[in-house]
Amino acid sequence: MTFSVAVAGASGYAGGELLRILAGHPDFEVRTVTAHQNAGQPLVSHQPHLRSLSHLTLVESTVENLSGHDVVFLALPHGKSGEIAALLPEETLVVDCGADHRLESPESWAAFYGGEYFGSWAYGVPELPVGDGKQRDALAGAKRIAAPGCNASAVSLALAPGIAAGLIEEEDIVAVLAVGPSGAGKSLKTMYLASEILGSANPYAVGGTHRHIPEIQQNLRKAGAANPTVSFTPVLVPMSRGILATSTARLKPGVTADQVQSAWESAYAGETFVQVLPAGTVPRTADVLGANTALIAVAVDEAAGRVVTVLALDNLYKGTAGAAIQSANIALGLDETAGLTVNGVAP
């Protein structure tokens, strides 16, 4: 069976990455692509790399244009997805790549986003440890899925094994991320111009203000934390895509490096797309570009009494579009890996 697909926000970076993956998916057929100000223009005028989809023209992002498909992917700014999703048919599988349906707490939404709260959907990080299982258990048969924030999934996947195994403290978690500016979308802002980014590393949302913080806390609570505290600092660096997340936490007394390595390896044993590297090795963003892969290194800083994790992923692929499609595969009962690659692009 082939599932018909519509992608809203198809002229942006996340929409383009969704379409790039969907173009090679054996079970999906992209029939409709929508945009706002670019409606009426050929898709390839905004996504010139998508040659196999050159027959498609962007239409308005309306409920009428999106209805009638088996699957709808929403790659829209926060506030826009919720408005449209509320009017789509219940039988349609809707996957929101924006923030509108990630947070379970209305208070957290009000504090970090503001505006109307649209409720929470099944969270689209299948590998995330949840209790004695994984988040994929909540995705099977789902009709509404919230794809993750790319930074949030990076930190959550890196630290959840330590929380689930009871090896690390849930307070005093610190994460510093090197991130590519594509995660901020295509909107023209001075801080994202090449002349501002090239040759520089630029911190932003410093001091506990980044919107992915409550999402990380929510994920760590799923893994077993009661009230985790997270100091989170992203830094824009001159690479178009990619995240290198260095996340640390205090070890509980008596925990050894061997226990730590074993816990992380056990947490992701058998996972195709989340892989723990051998002790003493670290990942690079270059190793995961163009792949639905997250690579994790874990080490123990004996002097500081902390675990140090380093996770690399492609923010547009595994961080957004790949997670959305992987989750959709699960929801529809397809092979979870369908249409997705574990291999990156090099050099």
Side-chain angles (χ1 to χ4, degrees):
M1 177 180 179
T2 299
F3 296 90
S4 61
V5 176
V7 175
S11 60
Y13 288 139
E17 191 72 349
L18 280 165
L19 290 167
R20 186 175 75 87
I21 301 170
L22 290 168
H25 196 293
D27 303 300
F28 290 153
E29 179 187 355
V30 178
R31 296 184 184 173
T32 301
V33 291
T34 80
H36 177 49
Q37 63 189 30
N38 298 317
Q41 301 175 32
L43 174 66
V44 291
S45 67
H46 295 275
Q47 308 288 7
H49 60 301
L50 300 179
R51 306 315 301 176
S52 68
L53 300 178
S54 60
H55 59 286
L56 295 174
T57 298
L58 295 163
V59 297
E60 287 282 350
S61 295
T62 64
V63 172
E64 291 74 22
N65 286 332
L66 295 171
S67 296
H69 300 81
D70 298 313
V71 187
V72 174
F73 292 94
L74 302 173
L76 300 171
H78 78 268
K80 299 301 182 182
S81 295
E83 294 175 0
I84 289 178
L87 300 174
L88 291 173
E90 291 183 4
E91 65 271 16
T92 302
L93 172 57
V94 183
V95 185
D96 184 7
C97 294
D100 285 5
H101 301 96
R102 293 172 186 160
L103 297 183
E104 297 172 358
S105 166
E107 292 76 20
S108 292
W109 176 266
F112 283 85
Y113 289 92
E116 183 177 355
Y117 174 66
F118 294 99
S120 64
W121 290 354
Y123 189 65
V125 180
E127 303 91 350
L128 183 70
V130 176
D132 295 328
K134 294 288 183 69
Q135 181 61 21
R136 66 169 47 86
D137 299 334
L139 293 168
K143 287 298 185 181
R144 297 291 189 269
I145 295 171
C150 52
N151 296 313
S153 63
V155 177
S156 302
L157 287 169
L159 291 177
I163 294 290
L167 300 182
I168 63 176
E169 303 286 355
E170 62 182 59
E171 297 179 347
D172 190 26
I173 291 171
V174 178
V176 178
L177 285 70
V179 302
S182 59
K186 277 187 177 180
S187 58
L188 294 176
K189 296 181 180 179
T190 300
M191 68 182 292
Y192 303 130
L193 296 175
S195 55
E196 301 292 329
I197 290 177
L198 294 178
S200 181
N202 305 326
Y204 67 100
V206 176
T209 62
H210 197 282
R211 289 169 168 171
H212 287 178
I213 290 173
E215 187 178 342
I216 296 168
Q217 293 173 309
Q218 177 176 288
N219 292 341
L220 296 182
R221 283 193 292 269
K222 288 179 183 290
N227 187 30
T229 62
V230 179
S231 175
F232 175 91
T233 306
V235 181
L236 285 176
V237 296
M239 57 186 183
S240 61
R241 58 164 81 195
I243 293 174
L244 190 71
T246 302
S247 306
T248 79
R250 294 202 312 266
L251 286 169
K252 291 186 176 180
V255 174
T256 67
D258 287 343
Q259 286 177 297
V260 165
Q261 184 72 24
S262 177
W264 263 257
E265 290 177 352
S266 296
Y268 298 121
E271 294 289 355
T272 301
F273 299 120
V274 178
Q275 301 178 15
V276 178
L277 298 179
T281 59
V282 292
R284 309 173 305 166
T285 57
D287 302 327
V288 296
L289 295 186
N292 196 50
T293 305
L295 296 179
I296 307 174
V298 60
V300 168
D301 185 333
E302 299 281 1
R306 300 183 73 87
V307 65
V308 179
T309 65
V310 182
L311 182 146
L313 58 74
D314 182 326
N315 59 292
L316 291 179
Y317 204 129
K318 179 57 174 168
T320 305
I325 292 169
Q326 183 182 347
S327 298
N329 287 342
I330 296 169
L332 294 169
L334 304 174
D335 178 353
E336 183 174 331
T337 67
L340 301 167
T341 181
V342 73
N343 297 322
V345 178

